[in-house]
């Protein structure tokens, strides 16, 4: 009964697959996260898939995507954690060609 977004990156002998759960943020944006909620845990997570067998990795990531109507941009914040420790924070901005 739940939809997910799947992102797969090729790696030697397998791939890293992120199963991201979409959520509404408190404003007008969208949150895609691999973090499991305590009450609604599902298939979300980051996995190393080797010959069809998934292994859940101690990684989590979250994308917070939002539109800035005044600037005419799409913005995203990408954060990652390993063993619960933050190790990546990237800000993306997409502008129209005009």
């Amino acid at each position: 009964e739940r939809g997910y977004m799947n992102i797969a990156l090729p790696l030697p002998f397998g791939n890293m697959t992120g199963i991201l759960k979409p959520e509404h943020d408190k404003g007008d944006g969208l949150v895609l996260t691999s973090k499991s909620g305590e009450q609604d845990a599902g298939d979300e997570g980051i996995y190393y898939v080797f010959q069809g067998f998934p292994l859940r990795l101690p990684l989590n990531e979250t994308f917070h995507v939002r539109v800035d109507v005044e600037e005419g941009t799409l913005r995203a914040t990408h954060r990652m954690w390993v063993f619960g420790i933050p190790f990546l924070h990237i800000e993306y901005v997409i502008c129209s060609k005009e």
Side-chain angles (χ1 to χ4, degrees), residues 55-91:
L55 172 65
R56 177 72 160 88
L57 300 175
L59 296 168
N60 277 305
E61 70 180 328
T62 297
F63 294 90
H64 182 202
V65 183
R66 59 218 173 272
V67 175
D68 187 328
V69 177
E70 292 177 13
E71 291 184 9
T73 60
L74 181 66
R75 296 181 173 273
T77 301
H78 182 193
R79 290 190 168 102
M80 290 189 79
W81 299 263
V82 61
F83 294 109
I85 300 167
F87 75 95
L88 178 78
H89 178 157
I90 301 174
E91 297 287 335

Side-chain angles (χ1 to χ4, degrees), residues 26-65:
K26 304 222 184 332
D28 292 330
L30 171 69
V31 175
L32 299 167
T33 184
S34 66
K35 290 183 170 185
S36 295
E38 291 180 18
Q39 296 178 358
D40 64 345
D43 295 324
E44 60 272 9
I46 298 179
Y47 301 85
Y48 178 71
V49 182
F50 174 74
Q51 295 183 353
F53 296 100
L55 172 65
R56 177 72 160 88
L57 300 175
L59 296 168
N60 277 305
E61 70 180 328
T62 297
F63 294 90
H64 182 202
V65 183

Side-chain angles (χ1 to χ4, degrees), residues 3 6 9 32 49 53-54 68 92-93 95 98:
N6 178 354
L9 303 169
L32 299 167
V49 182
F53 296 100
D68 187 328
Y92 301 96
V93 178
C95 305
E98 300 173 351

